[in-house]
Amino acid sequence: YDIPALRRLDVAHHLPAQQDYKLIEDMGGSRIVTHAEGCYITDGDGNRILDGMAGLWCVNIGYGREELADVAAEQMRELPFYNTFFKTATPPTVELAAKIAGLTGGKLQHVFFNASGSEANDTVFRMVRHYWKVKGEPNRKIFISRWNAYHGSTVAGVSLGGMKAMHAQGDLPIPGIEHVRQPYWFGEGRDMEPREFGKLCAQAIEDRILQVGPENVAAFVGEPVQGAGGVIIPPEGYWQEVERICRKYGILLVADEVICGFGRTGEWFGHQTLGFTPDLVPMAKGLSSGYLPISAVAVSSDVVEVLKTGGDFVHGFTYSGHPVCAAVALRNIEIIERENLVGKVRDDVGPYLNAALKRLEEHPLVGETRSIGLLGAVEIVADKKTAARFGGKEGNAGPVVRDFCIDNGLMVRGIRDTIVMSPPLIISRQQIDDLVDIIRRSLDLAMPKLKA
Ligand code: PLP
C-alpha cells in the first residue's frame, strides 16, 4: 500500500467514526491498519500491535480465520442475497436463528435479524412498543435505561444510551426515555458495601417506575456489564433486584448483549454469567466476530405469542437475515464451540487476566482493577486513598495512558480515567502478561505528565 497517499485521501475524503475531524487532519490522517493475525493488528508503518480491544469488542475468535472467508465465498456463490420481507427466508438465516435460540435457551426461542447493534436496539424499541399496543396496554411506552449506558449511535440507540455528549449533539433523547443511575461502585459508591450500593442503584429503578407510573413503563434496558461506559461490573445481587422489580410491575427486561454476548464474560451471554433472565436480548459483534456485519434480537416466546395476535409487525431492514452474514456467524459460533473458547474464558484466561490486573493494583496510579471474563478495566487515580482524579476532574488521565499503551504496542481504550480492555478470546496467558506489562509501563511513563 502507498500509506502516505492513503493518509492524504483519509484527510481529504474520509470521515471516521466518533472523531474530531480537525484532530485527524492535524495528525495527517488516521493510522491505516493493513493486516491482522491472531491477536495482533499491523499498521502501515509496520507496527505490530496487540489488540487489547478485539477490534471494537468484537473479534472474539481472533483475526485470520481462513474458513470464514471460505464460507462467505461459498455462500456468495450459492446465494449472495435474499430478503425476509416476502414470506421468504434462506437456509443460513433459519439455521442461525435456531442456533441462537439454543444458546440463549429458556424462553428466548425467536430471533429477529439486523445488521448492527444499534439496529438491534431500534428493533427492541419498536417491537416492545408494538407489543404493548397489541397487548392492549398502549400507555406502556416509557423505557428506563441508565446514565453512561451505550446502546448505539442511531437516534433510538443514542436515546436509550446515557451518554450526555451524544444527547447534546443530537438534541436527544427522544421523548419517553428515563435515565437512572449506573451501578458504578468505584466512581459513585465506595463509601458503601458493594452489595448495598447495588441495591440502592436497583432501588432507583423502582423509584422511577413509581414516579412515572408503572402502567406507563414498557421496559428496562441495560447491558449486563456496561462496556463503553467504562466496563462497569455491577455489584453482586444488582441484576437479581432489577429482575425482581421488573417482574413486580410487569415490565419487560432487555439485556443488551452486544458486547457481553458470545463468550466475553465466560458464558455464552452476560445474563447467564450474572444470573438473570431477560425477555429480549439484542446481540451483535461476537455473533460474527466482526467478520461481517450482523446483529440479532432474541425474543421470548411469551412476547412472540402476543405479537402473533397483532398482524404484520411493520419493521425490518434490507439486510435482516443476510445469508452471507448468517453463514459466517454460524461458522464463527462453530469455531467458538470447537475450540471451547467460552470454557477457556471462564476457567483459564478470564481468571488469569483478573489475577494479573489485581497485581497492577500495587501501582501508585491504580485505584482499582476489575474484570469479568475477558472484559477488564483499570481505574487511574491521582490519590489512592481518596480516589481523586488528576487535575481535579474526570477524564484527564485515560487518554494519556491510552496513548502510551498504543505507542508501546497495545491497543486499548481510555474512557474518562479508565483503561478498558476486551481482547480476543483466543488470547494466551503470555499475551495477557504482555498486555498488563504494557499498561504498567505506560502508567510509569504517564506519571510525570499527569498533574494532581
Ligand atoms: N450496544 C452495546 C452494548 C454496544 O457496546 C454497542 C457498540 O459498541 C452497540 C449497542 C451498538 O452497536 P453497533 O455499533 O454495531 O451499532
Side-chain angles (χ1 to χ4, degrees):
Y1 298 106
D2 182 346
I3 299 298
L6 287 169
R7 295 189 75 193
R8 281 195 297 278
L9 291 177
D10 184 58
V11 170
H13 302 294
H14 176 219
L15 300 176
Q18 285 203 8
Q19 289 303 329
D20 172 343
Y21 302 135
K22 182 70 176 72
L23 190 77
I24 296 283
E25 185 176 74
D26 294 346
M27 279 168 53
S30 307
R31 179 193 300 272
I32 307 289
V33 176
T34 52
H35 299 94
E37 186 63 38
C39 291
Y40 294 89
I41 57 172
T42 306
D43 70 16
D45 298 324
N47 296 306
R48 190 163 172 268
I49 300 170
L50 178 58
D51 189 3
M53 285 307 299
L56 195 55
W57 327 80
C58 59
V59 188
N60 288 10
I61 60 169
Y63 299 94
R65 300 282 192 160
E66 297 262 333
E67 64 181 295
L68 289 199
D70 294 341
V71 161
E74 277 162 33
Q75 184 58 47
M76 270 190 208
R77 288 197 182 93
E78 187 71 28
L79 177 70
F81 175 79
Y82 205 73
N83 71 71
T84 64
F85 280 58
F86 300 161
K87 302 181 175 57
T88 45
T90 68
T93 309
V94 176
E95 285 170 20
L96 181 59
K99 187 76 209 175
I100 291 170
L103 297 176
T104 45
K107 287 193 161 182
L108 295 162
Q109 286 302 307
H110 307 269
V111 178
F112 189 101
F113 288 111
N114 330 261
S116 68
S118 303
E119 285 175 30
N121 282 309
D122 276 53
T123 292
V124 164
F125 187 86
R126 295 208 51 222
M127 187 181 277
V128 164
R129 283 203 167 166
H130 174 56
Y131 163 85
W132 285 115
K133 287 206 169 95
V134 173
K135 202 158 189 271
E137 295 186 59
N139 290 336
R140 283 202 186 253
K141 287 186 186 154
I142 294 175
F143 284 79
I144 300 179
S145 64
R146 299 173 297 181
W147 289 117
N148 214 23
Y150 189 76
H151 297 297
S153 208
T154 52
V155 170
V158 171
S159 296
L160 288 170
M163 301 289 179
K164 289 185 179 162
M166 295 180 95
H167 288 172
Q169 287 180 351
D171 290 321
L172 296 168
I174 51 176
I177 311 223
E178 297 282 330
H179 294 90
V180 297
R181 69 185 305 176
Q182 53 178 343
Y184 181 21
W185 180 78
F186 185 78
E188 300 172 11
R190 267 176 305 106
D191 52 341
M192 278 183 201
E193 281 302 307
R195 213 184 160 91
E196 193 192 337
F197 177 69
K199 251 195 146 158
L200 194 75
C201 295
Q203 187 56 45
I205 300 169
E206 184 163 25
D207 292 348
R208 190 64 61 90
I209 292 170
L210 293 172
Q211 200 183 328
V212 299
E215 69 284 5
N216 300 316
V217 181
F220 174 78
V221 182
E223 303 151 79
V225 176
Q226 279 171 268
V231 181
I232 311 294
I233 304 170
E236 229 172 273
Y238 170 80
W239 274 112
Q240 286 66 35
E241 265 305 286
V242 173
E243 183 172 17
R244 186 188 64 75
I245 292 164
C246 287
R247 300 296 167 232
K248 180 172 172 190
Y249 298 102
I251 292 163
L252 292 174
L253 177 52
V254 181
D256 180 342
E257 296 268 7
V258 169
I259 285 178
C260 293
F262 299 93
R264 176 62 53 199
T265 66
E267 297 291 342
W268 278 97
F269 292 95
H271 68 266
Q272 295 164 343
T273 305
L274 293 167
F276 67 100
T277 309
D279 302 296
L280 293 99
V281 175
M283 61 189 80
K285 296 190 189 277
L287 169 56
S288 66
S289 285
Y291 276 66
L292 281 177
I294 181 167
S295 70
V297 182
V299 187
S300 81
S301 302
D302 293 344
V303 169
V304 173
E305 284 312 309
V306 172
L307 295 180
K308 280 181 187 169
T309 66
D312 288 353
F313 174 37
V314 200
H315 175 77
F317 305 97
T318 301
Y319 300 132
S320 286
H322 194 294
V324 181
C325 302
V328 164
L330 272 168
R331 186 60 68 90
N332 167 63
I333 293 170
E334 195 185 311
I335 291 171
I336 297 176
E337 285 175 329
R338 197 199 302 149
E339 299 181 6
N340 186 27
L341 294 181
V342 179
K344 184 182 160 220
V345 173
R346 184 186 54 236
D347 302 328
D348 180 12
V349 284
Y352 193 83
L353 174 68
N354 190 273
L357 286 175
K358 282 287 163 243
R359 289 195 290 278
L360 203 55
E361 288 184 354
E362 287 156 19
H363 196 281
L365 296 194
V366 175
E368 182 195 64
T369 67
R370 53 180 178 266
S371 72
I372 183 165
L374 284 181
L375 207 45
V378 177
E379 292 277 0
I380 306 159
V381 292
D383 181 330
K384 277 170 103 84
K385 267 214 189 89
T386 62
R389 302 296 189 175
F390 279 98
K393 67 176 176 56
E394 282 208 316
N396 286 323
V400 175
V401 176
R402 172 205 61 202
D403 287 350
F404 277 116
C405 285
I406 298 172
D407 288 348
N408 283 280
L410 172 69
M411 186 60 78
V412 284
R413 250 176 123 172
I415 295 172
R416 298 185 308 280
D417 295 303
T418 311
I419 294 296
V420 300
M421 67 211 72
S422 152
L425 311 188
I426 57 162
I427 195 168
S428 67
R429 288 178 169 215
Q430 178 60 54
Q431 287 163 336
I432 288 174
D433 288 342
D434 294 347
L435 183 154
V436 175
D437 279 349
I438 295 176
I439 296 176
R440 182 179 289 110
R441 237 182 310 136
S442 302
L443 288 164
D444 290 342
L445 290 164
M447 232 181 319
K449 277 193 90 174
L450 293 168
K451 292 190 185 70

